[in-house]
């Protein structure tokens, strides 16, 4: 999901009745001097070394730059182990933000998790080990891996310590002053040492051979692991329960070939920091490739089995639509359920699911074919992995009678009340709440058990490929739905607690993405993400990946993923990896902002990677403000300066400055938002894209090449394009004008350099009745109509939770019948969108492949202080006779001029540079049914263009035969 704002949590997300978590308070204590001893029984179980001279108490003086923490009363001692404020960063170093001075520091361990803090000190330990404070700071490699603790003090762990076995225990550290008084105690965060000791590149998950099925699970902190094998997806007793054997943190077992097509669940005995107990956890395999309904059990499914492959599946790579260059990509974002849930031309069993994409003659598929024939290349599917929030079993869904809702007033609150009453029990959710990344979602399959979801997903990819559309999966590796040892949707946090989820310096799970942030800076998280991507690419032959909140993933992970995918070959893997495109949301916020956890995959950091990121600059400049600002703030297309809506934008000078800046931002977006593109800005000065700044002071442009920019004006998040236009434009304008503004917006995106991205339905004036966040608003507010009778405007006030504060703005608009488009408006919008796609693909000049080509060929003409407000004039020049040094790319046209007129009136623009050319209106527009655009004209003798209001006109210069 796109960046949203969430209130801070006052308690750890794992706090519940079973976890015994207390209200946070400082982790300090008063303790007697610790003892240095080893329990003989624990020593034999964990193979710990006997005490040696390495453990003799030493006191080392050091500077006191760290803030000393004062001892507190005994009433606060209970809280100290609920936190993990120290970091075991490598085998020999524990980092902690404390000042020992003349005191000492000790590490404690208990295999049975019996550590506690009382007035008498730390109790229940099996092992006590003295740590030596280092006078120097943390090593460079540690700081690079954990930049957020760069100023912490290092404490040396004895070299002879059997750390591998200690890591299976409850661990704590405590410091004492020179008089033996405890001044600090806390638990430990372990990812650093786990990465150093247990990084692993061997097999994981289920491995199939001719004679056996083997299981491999990475769980270095587990004390014991079993696998329960079941015949059925739910219920019943296990066929077998087998013990896995550990080697270097990996638990494995070789099982019978008869296990194939059975289900399994892991049982782990493991210490969990959220409960301070050794827990018995039941978990799915993180590398599961199949599931039972609602993911209660993992399915032992061999994806190479012939019976799981649709006809000609192995040859699909040869059938895929051509893609000569990534610059040719255009993307259409679509939710699987939205696509067919309301399509009566689809068989009822297939509606809302994978198989709807196999029906070549449904209304939805005919619409996609229309877009594909016009040039659209990729369909981006919202999350399709196993996510929480929708029961996989359709018989459990609740629904609302749409016939009743249809009779209610368009501005009524009753529709949303009925929808939200069942919103967590219906069949709808966007799916940004991952449970398991590597398995298709069961609710989209006819049968969520067995192999159906695998077979049907493959048929969906095949069906889309066969109408000329490649498939992008929306992947959500930045967070997980659940954590802790008991939640049925928790997986990774049961397998290696405290490792997969990113924690703050107190040891509490970070939630800046909205829930349970993952930590790709940890080796095995990075590996799991890349392995998962490769599985989807090879086993499901998808053509691209869109990364949700990509900025929360490390840049190194993204680059590794891109390289791993690129290296896939048709001969070896059945996939041409060079054609796989990856992109995502490069927002820089939360704990990762400004490289707080390492160099993250944010917009500015991705320069030179050829990984795309969404360009919010062009979106905000076009619409006005931002998704988190005042909903009435206007932008370039919505009437700023030219047709005010009575919102206070400041003085006239303020408005003029905002408008001029918006034009600069959009023009840079039209030039692929290249960092080094030189633009003559609104002040008449030449400036690189990186030198033009946003209102927040960051560079507008950041890309090194066109494929690093995803230009868009709307997406699944926030209001639809038609809705936001209806909200921001003045109440009194006509629906005809709003429809033209909608098309103006999509045409700016479609004719820009870089990768254009469209939200499904923008081309049909799609409305969600002004809902700004329809992730759980059901089919009612998310309906699509591919026979073009309705755009879904005015179906009631949008759900209260996210929209109530704007109801006073929304209600009068929904109540006004003049806001609702007619079928003729929708048909015209579809035709205009198809036409602008045809124009984009009529010339390679709209899809230039290099930054240098854009800099050489793209020019903007209505610039500087004397510019005509609301008019952007872009030319693209091809090589032709008399122009040395510029190669010829287009065999048909030698020159293109595009004029975007956002003003409410016809404009004329003259340019000496564009005089005396043989320009004419593009043939697609000449042949269109849009009588307005046909009024566009060009006079060669004066270089004067005339363009109607709210119109995009494309003029081309045909080559001489």
């Amino acid at each position: 999901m796109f960046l949203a704002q969430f209130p801070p949590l006052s308690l750890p997300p794992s706090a519940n009745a079973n976890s015994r978590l207390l209200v946070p308070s400082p982790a300090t204590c008063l303790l007697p001097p610790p003892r240095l001893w080893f329990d003989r029984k624990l020593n034999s179980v964990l193979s710990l070394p006997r005490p040696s001279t390495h453990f003799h108490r030493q006191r080392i003086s050091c500077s006191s730059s760290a803030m000393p923490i004062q001892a507190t009363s005994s009433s606060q001692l209970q809280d100290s182990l609920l936190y993990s404020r120290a970091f075991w960063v490598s085998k020999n170093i524990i980092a902690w933000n404390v000042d020992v001075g003349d005191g000492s520091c000790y590490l404690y361990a208990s295999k049975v998790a019996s550590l506690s803090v009382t007035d008498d000190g730390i109790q229940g330990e099996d092992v006590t080990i003295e740590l030596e404070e280092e006078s120097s700071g943390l090593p460079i490699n540690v700081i690079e891996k954990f930049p957020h603790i760069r100023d912490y003090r290092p404490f040396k762990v004895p070299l002879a310590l059997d750390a591998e076995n200690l890591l299976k225990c409850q661990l704590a550290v405590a410091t004492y002053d020179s008089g033996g008084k405890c001044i600090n105690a806390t638990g430990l965060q372990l990812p650093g040492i786990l990465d150093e000791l247990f990084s692993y590149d061997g097999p994981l998950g289920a491995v199939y051979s001719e004679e056996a099925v083997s299981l491999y699970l990475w769980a270095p902190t587990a004390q014991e692991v079993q696998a329960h094998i079941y015949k059925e997806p739910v219920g019943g007793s296990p066929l077998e329960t087998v013990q896995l054997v550990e080697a270097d943190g990996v638990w494995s077992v070789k099982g019978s070939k008869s296990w194939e097509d059975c289900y399994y669940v892991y049982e782990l005995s493991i210490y969990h920091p959220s409960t301070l107990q050794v827990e018995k956890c039941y978990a799915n395999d993180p590398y599961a490739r199949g599931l039972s309904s609602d993911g209660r059990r993992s399915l032992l499914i061999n994806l190479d089995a012939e019976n799981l492959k649709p006809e000609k599946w192995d040859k699909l790579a040869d059938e895929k639509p051509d893609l000569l260059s990534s610059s040719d990509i255009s993307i259409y974002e679509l939710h699987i359920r939205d696509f067919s849930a309301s399509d009566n031309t689809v068989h009822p069993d297939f509606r809302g699911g994978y198989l709807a994409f196999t029906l070549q003659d449904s209304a939805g598929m005919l619409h996609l074919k229309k877009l594909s024939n016009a040039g659209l290349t990729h369909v981006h599917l919202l999350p399709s992995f196993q996510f929480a929030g929708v029961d996989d079993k359709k018989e459990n869904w609740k629904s609302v009678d749409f016939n009743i809702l249809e009779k209610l007033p368009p501005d009524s609150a009753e529709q949303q009340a009925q929808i939200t009453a069942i919103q967590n029990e219906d069949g709808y959710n966007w799916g940004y709440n991952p449970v398991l990344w590597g398995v298709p979602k069961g609710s989209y399959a006819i049968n969520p058990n067995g192999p159906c979801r695998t077979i049907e997903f493959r048929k969906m990819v095949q069906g889309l490929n066969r109408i000329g559309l490649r498939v992008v999966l929306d992947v959500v590796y930045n967070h997980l739905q659940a954590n802790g040892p008991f939640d049925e949707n928790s997986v990774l946090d049961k397998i290696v607690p405290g490792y997969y989820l990113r924690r703050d310096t107190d040891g509490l799970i970070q939630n800046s993405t909205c829930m349970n942030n993952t930590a790709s800076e940890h080796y095995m998280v990075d590996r799991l993400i890349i392995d998962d991507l490769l599985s989807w690419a090879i086993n499901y032959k998808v053509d691209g990946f869109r990364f949700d909140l990509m900025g929360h993933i490390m840049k190194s992970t993204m680059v590794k993923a891109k390289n791993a995918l690129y290296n896939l070959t048709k001969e070896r893997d059945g996939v041409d990896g060079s054609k796989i495109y990856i992109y995502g949301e490069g927002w820089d916020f939360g704990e990762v902002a400004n490289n707080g956890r390492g160099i993250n995959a944010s917009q500015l950091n991705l320069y030179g990677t050829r990984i795309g990121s969404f360009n919010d600059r062009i979106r905000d400049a076009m619409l006005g403000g931002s998704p988190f600002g005042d909903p009435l703030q206007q932008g370039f297309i919505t009437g700023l300066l030219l047709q005010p809506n009575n919102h206070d934008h400041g003085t006239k000078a303020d408005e003029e400055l905002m408008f001029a800046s918006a034009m600069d931002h959009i023009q840079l977006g039209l030039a692929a938002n290249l960092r080094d593109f030189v633009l003559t800005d609104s002040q008449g000065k030449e400036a690189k894209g990186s030198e033009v700044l946003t209102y927040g002071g960051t560079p507008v442009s950041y890309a090194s090449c066109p494929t690093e920019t995803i230009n868009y004006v709307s997406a699944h998040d926030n209001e639809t394009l038609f809705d936001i236009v209806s909200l921001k434009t003045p109440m009194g304008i006509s629906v005809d004008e709003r429809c033209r503004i909608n098309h103006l917006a999509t045409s700016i995106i479609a004719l820009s350099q870089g990768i254009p991205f469209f939200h499904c339905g923008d081309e049909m004036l799609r409305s969600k009745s002004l809902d700004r966040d329809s992730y759980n608003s059901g089919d009612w507010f998310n309906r699509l109509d591919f026979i073009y009778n309705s755009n879904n405007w005015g179906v009631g006030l949008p759900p209260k939770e996210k929209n109530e504060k704007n109801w006073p703005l929304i209600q009068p608009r929904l109540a006004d019948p003049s806001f609702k488009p007619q079928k003729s408006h929708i048909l015209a919008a579809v035709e205009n969108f198809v036409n602008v796609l045809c124009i984009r693909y009529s010339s390679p000049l709209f899809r230039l492949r290099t930054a240098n080509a854009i800099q050489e060929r793209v020019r903007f003409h209505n610039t500087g202080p004397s510019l005509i407000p609301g008019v952007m004039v872009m030319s693209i020049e091809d090589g032709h006779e008399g122009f040395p040094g510029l190669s010829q790319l287009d065999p048909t046209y030698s020159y293109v001029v595009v004029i975007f007129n956002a003003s409410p009136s016809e404009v004329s623009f003259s340019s000496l540079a564009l005089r005396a050319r043989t320009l004419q209106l593009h043939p697609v527009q000449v042949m269109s049914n849009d009588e307005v655009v046909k009024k566009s004209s060009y006079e060669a003798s004066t270089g004067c263009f005339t363009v109607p209001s709210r119109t995009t006109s494309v003029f081309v210069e045909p080559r001489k035969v």
Side-chain angles (χ1 to χ4, degrees):
M1 292 163 62
F2 284 72
L3 174 58
Q5 295 172 330
F6 300 91
L9 298 177
S10 59
L11 284 176
S14 52
N16 55 52
N18 297 318
S19 65
R20 299 183 295 283
L21 288 174
L22 305 177
V23 178
S25 62
T28 58
C29 60
L30 298 170
L31 294 175
R35 293 161 293 166
L36 177 60
W37 62 275
F38 288 80
D39 179 85
R40 293 181 183 273
K41 182 179 179 182
L42 180 68
N43 186 50
S44 64
V45 172
L46 297 182
S47 302
L48 296 172
R50 300 301 300 167
S52 70
T53 56
H54 292 287
F55 298 88
H56 290 174
R57 180 175 298 182
Q58 298 180 25
R59 294 187 176 90
I60 300 174
S61 297
C62 58
S63 66
S64 57
S65 59
M67 290 290 291
I69 301 177
Q70 301 298 321
T72 59
S73 66
S74 59
S75 63
Q76 296 176 303
L77 301 181
Q78 298 283 335
D79 296 347
S80 60
L81 299 186
L82 289 170
Y83 298 87
S84 298
R85 291 172 168 141
F87 296 72
W88 200 340
V89 293
S90 69
K91 183 173 182 179
N92 301 121
I93 297 176
I94 288 174
W96 195 8
N97 191 27
V98 294
D99 183 7
V100 175
D102 292 335
S104 55
C105 183
Y106 287 84
L107 170 66
Y108 298 88
S110 170
K111 189 187 180 203
V112 295
S114 59
L115 295 182
S116 63
V117 185
T118 71
D119 290 347
D120 296 326
I122 288 186
Q123 303 293 318
E125 77 274 19
D126 299 312
V127 178
T128 307
I129 303 156
E130 184 170 14
L131 307 177
E132 297 180 8
E133 186 177 3
E134 293 276 15
S135 57
S136 59
L138 292 171
I140 293 298
N141 65 313
V142 171
I143 292 173
E144 289 176 350
K145 187 173 177 68
F146 302 105
H148 60 300
I149 61 168
R150 64 173 60 247
D151 296 324
Y152 280 37
R153 297 176 181 273
F155 291 84
K156 187 176 180 181
V157 180
L159 292 172
L161 187 67
D162 183 4
E164 289 87 346
N165 282 309
L166 268 189
L167 293 170
K168 298 179 182 298
C169 301
Q170 180 188 19
L171 299 171
V173 287
T175 62
Y176 298 82
D177 65 18
S178 58
K181 180 180 178 181
C182 179
I183 56 174
N184 264 302
T186 190
L188 285 162
Q189 297 190 38
L190 304 178
I193 187 171
L194 292 178
D195 280 352
E196 180 176 306
L197 297 183
F198 295 109
S199 293
Y200 170 75
D201 295 309
L204 287 170
V207 177
Y208 302 89
S209 65
E210 291 185 4
E211 69 283 348
V213 176
S214 299
L215 299 177
Y216 298 87
L217 180 71
W218 187 75
T221 61
Q223 297 180 3
E224 185 179 14
V225 179
Q226 294 179 317
H228 301 285
I229 312 298
Y230 296 88
K231 185 64 178 174
E232 300 300 328
V234 293
S237 300
L239 293 173
E240 293 182 65
T241 294
V242 294
Q243 187 77 38
L244 277 70
V245 177
E246 183 187 16
D248 296 325
V250 178
W251 298 79
S252 63
V253 65
K254 186 175 183 178
S256 167
K257 183 67 173 175
S258 64
W259 286 5
E260 195 165 330
D261 300 324
C262 291
Y263 297 87
Y264 66 112
V265 175
Y266 285 124
E267 178 189 320
L268 301 92
S269 292
I270 197 164
Y271 171 73
H272 208 289
S274 71
T275 63
L276 305 182
Q277 298 291 322
V278 175
E279 302 289 0
K280 185 177 286 187
C281 295
Y282 294 90
N284 277 305
D285 190 337
Y287 277 74
R289 296 296 175 241
L291 290 169
S292 65
S293 61
D294 293 315
R296 296 299 165 257
R297 293 172 183 170
S298 300
L299 174 63
L300 287 160
I301 182 172
N302 183 357
L303 296 180
D304 289 329
E306 291 301 318
N307 64 328
L308 301 183
K309 298 176 181 179
E311 186 179 357
K312 298 183 179 179
W313 176 252
D314 287 333
K315 300 295 184 182
L316 186 60
D318 297 323
E319 291 186 39
K320 285 187 179 288
D322 290 338
L323 184 66
L324 298 179
S325 166
S326 293
S327 292
D328 293 332
I329 291 173
S330 53
I331 301 170
Y332 185 78
E333 181 196 47
L334 176 64
H335 183 253
I336 290 173
R337 181 162 179 83
D338 286 353
F339 177 65
S340 60
S342 303
D343 189 346
N344 291 328
T345 67
V346 173
H347 188 282
D349 290 345
F350 293 177
R351 288 178 198 162
Y354 301 126
L355 291 181
F357 295 91
T358 66
L359 305 176
Q360 298 290 305
D361 294 325
S362 70
M365 287 298 280
L366 290 173
H367 181 80
L368 290 184
K369 284 181 185 178
K370 188 183 300 181
L371 302 186
S372 174
N373 291 337
L376 187 76
T377 64
H378 286 64
V379 166
H380 158 169
L381 299 174
L382 265 65
S384 52
F385 48 74
Q386 186 66 22
F387 57 81
V390 174
D391 196 319
D392 282 346
K393 299 180 290 297
K394 297 176 178 62
E395 61 269 23
N396 293 337
W397 294 351
K398 293 183 179 179
S399 61
V400 174
D401 188 339
F402 281 13
N403 291 321
I404 294 175
L405 300 187
E406 294 280 4
K407 298 173 183 177
L408 295 170
D411 62 335
S412 168
E414 182 59 28
Q415 294 97 325
Q416 65 86 31
Q418 292 195 35
I419 294 298
T420 56
I422 62 160
Q423 66 180 3
N424 295 322
E425 299 171 274
D426 64 359
Y428 197 92
N429 195 288
W430 279 347
Y432 291 96
N433 35 5
V435 176
L436 270 173
W437 292 319
V439 184
K441 174 62 176 168
S443 64
Y444 294 141
I446 289 180
N447 184 353
N449 294 308
C452 275
R453 58 176 91 187
T454 291
I455 298 169
E456 292 176 18
F457 196 103
R458 286 173 165 175
K459 287 182 176 180
M460 173 181 68
V461 174
Q462 197 173 47
L464 285 165
N465 283 177
R466 285 177 173 171
I467 64 167
L469 293 170
R470 290 174 173 255
V471 178
V472 172
L473 297 191
D474 199 321
V475 288
V476 186
Y477 295 121
N478 63 86
H479 65 245
L480 289 165
Q481 168 70 14
N483 70 79
F486 306 122
D487 193 308
E488 62 187 12
N489 290 317
S490 176
V491 177
L492 297 180
D493 200 41
K494 292 176 180 177
I495 303 295
V496 191
Y499 179 82
Y500 287 97
L501 302 180
R502 185 180 290 135
R503 297 193 282 173
D504 64 17
T505 51
D506 285 332
L508 307 182
I509 297 168
Q510 295 276 10
N511 287 282
S512 56
T513 65
C514 79
M515 62 177 85
N516 303 309
N517 298 2
T518 54
S520 65
E521 60 269 27
H522 302 160
Y523 187 89
M524 296 302 287
V525 184
D526 172 277
R527 182 193 160 175
L528 176 56
I529 291 170
I530 294 170
D531 286 349
D532 195 70
L533 291 166
L534 290 172
S535 175
W536 284 108
I538 294 170
N539 295 317
Y540 293 96
K541 302 187 189 301
V542 299
D543 307 287
F545 298 94
R546 176 266 190 191
F547 288 77
D548 184 62
L549 295 182
M550 179 174 62
H552 270 66
I553 300 171
M554 292 299 106
K555 175 183 176 181
S556 59
T557 300
M558 294 300 303
V559 171
K560 276 191 239 176
K562 179 174 174 39
N563 292 338
L565 292 166
Y566 185 86
N567 288 328
L568 298 176
T569 66
K570 284 201 291 186
E571 295 73 25
R572 183 184 65 243
D573 309 295
V575 174
D576 181 358
S578 68
K579 301 296 177 63
I580 294 176
Y581 181 60
I582 65 176
Y583 60 101
E585 297 174 303
W587 319 138
D588 192 37
F589 70 101
E591 75 283 358
V592 300
N594 303 313
N595 301 321
R597 293 300 179 100
I599 300 174
N600 62 323
S602 61
Q603 289 170 325
L604 299 181
N605 286 342
L606 288 174
Y607 179 88
T609 62
R610 298 186 178 270
I611 294 169
S613 66
F614 285 94
N615 178 12
D616 53 337
R617 281 72 154 158
I618 195 171
R619 176 199 69 189
D620 293 347
M622 289 170 65
L623 298 177
S626 80
F628 311 112
D630 191 297
L632 294 182
Q633 187 170 341
Q634 294 176 290
F636 177 78
I637 67 165
T638 55
L640 178 65
L641 188 67
L642 303 174
Q643 199 164 41
N645 61 5
N646 296 323
H647 175 70
D648 183 5
H649 292 92
T651 66
K652 182 74 170 179
D654 292 335
E655 286 189 287
E656 290 174 348
L657 180 60
M658 291 169 60
F659 193 87
S661 295
M663 287 188 64
D664 288 345
H665 295 189
I666 295 169
Q667 287 172 146
L668 286 169
L670 285 164
N673 222 42
L674 296 173
R675 187 177 77 177
D676 296 324
F677 181 84
V678 178
L679 173 77
T680 301
D681 67 17
S682 55
Q683 306 303 311
K685 299 176 182 177
E686 286 196 349
K688 289 184 178 180
S690 59
E691 296 168 343
V692 180
L693 303 181
T694 67
Y695 301 115
T698 57
V700 168
S701 298
Y702 51 80
S704 73
C705 65
T707 56
E708 287 178 8
T709 294
I710 305 289
N711 280 324
Y712 77 114
V713 69
S714 72
H716 63 275
D717 276 307
N718 312 311
E719 294 88 351
T720 67
L721 175 57
F722 182 81
D723 282 353
I724 200 67
V725 167
S726 298
L727 198 58
K728 289 178 178 288
T729 50
M731 288 279 290
I733 71 170
S734 69
V735 68
D736 293 342
E737 292 175 278
R738 292 193 182 94
C739 293
R740 292 204 69 81
I741 292 170
N742 189 101
H743 175 55
L744 176 68
T746 56
S747 66
I748 291 173
I749 299 303
L751 299 178
S752 63
Q753 303 293 332
I755 308 298
F757 176 99
F758 308 99
H759 178 43
C760 171
D762 280 352
E763 76 285 6
M764 301 185 294
L765 309 176
R766 182 183 188 175
S767 173
K768 297 179 182 178
S769 210
L770 290 166
D771 190 351
R772 67 171 283 106
D773 190 358
S774 68
Y775 81 101
N776 204 18
S777 299
D779 296 326
W780 178 256
F781 288 99
N782 287 286
R783 284 184 300 177
L784 286 168
D785 179 3
F786 288 112
I787 58 174
Y788 315 131
N789 283 326
S790 170
N791 77 329
N792 210 43
W793 172 269
V795 296
L797 286 170
K800 181 177 181 178
E801 179 188 7
K802 299 292 180 70
N803 301 281
E804 186 178 20
K805 69 177 182 179
N806 288 330
W807 277 2
L809 296 175
I810 293 171
Q811 193 161 16
R813 288 165 169 80
L814 295 181
D816 187 339
S818 72
F819 274 74
K820 185 176 178 63
Q822 302 304 307
K823 183 168 186 175
S824 58
H825 292 113
I826 299 171
L827 290 170
V830 172
E831 189 208 3
N832 282 334
F833 184 77
V834 168
N835 286 347
V836 80
L837 280 179
C838 288
I839 291 172
R840 178 177 182 83
Y841 288 96
S842 70
S843 172
L845 297 178
F846 290 111
R847 294 166 282 122
L848 297 173
R849 298 181 183 182
T850 67
N852 187 55
I854 293 172
Q855 183 66 65
E856 287 181 330
R857 299 166 188 266
V858 176
R859 295 286 183 273
F860 295 97
H861 298 271
N862 182 34
T863 61
S866 60
L867 62 81
I868 301 173
V871 180
M872 287 188 299
V873 181
M874 175 179 70
S875 66
I876 315 172
E877 186 161 14
D878 199 11
H880 55 87
E881 188 177 347
F883 196 96
L886 200 63
S887 61
Q888 180 180 321
L889 302 177
D890 188 341
T892 306
Y893 305 121
S894 60
Y895 205 83
V896 173
V897 176
V898 185
I899 301 182
F900 304 100
N901 179 16
S903 69
S905 57
E906 180 182 274
V907 297
S908 293
F909 170 78
S910 298
S911 169
L912 291 176
L914 301 176
R915 193 172 56 179
R917 307 201 73 99
T918 56
L919 292 165
Q920 59 191 44
L921 194 63
H922 197 288
V924 169
Q925 292 187 319
V926 171
M927 298 299 293
S928 77
N929 290 317
D930 183 0
E931 296 300 324
V932 175
V933 75
K934 292 179 182 179
K935 297 176 183 177
S936 306
S937 64
Y938 166 73
E939 186 177 88
S941 61
T942 60
C944 181
F945 298 84
T946 301
V947 177
S949 68
R950 297 191 171 106
T951 295
T952 296
S953 301
V954 182
F955 297 88
V956 291
E957 184 174 70
R959 290 191 181 279
K960 297 176 182 178
V961 179

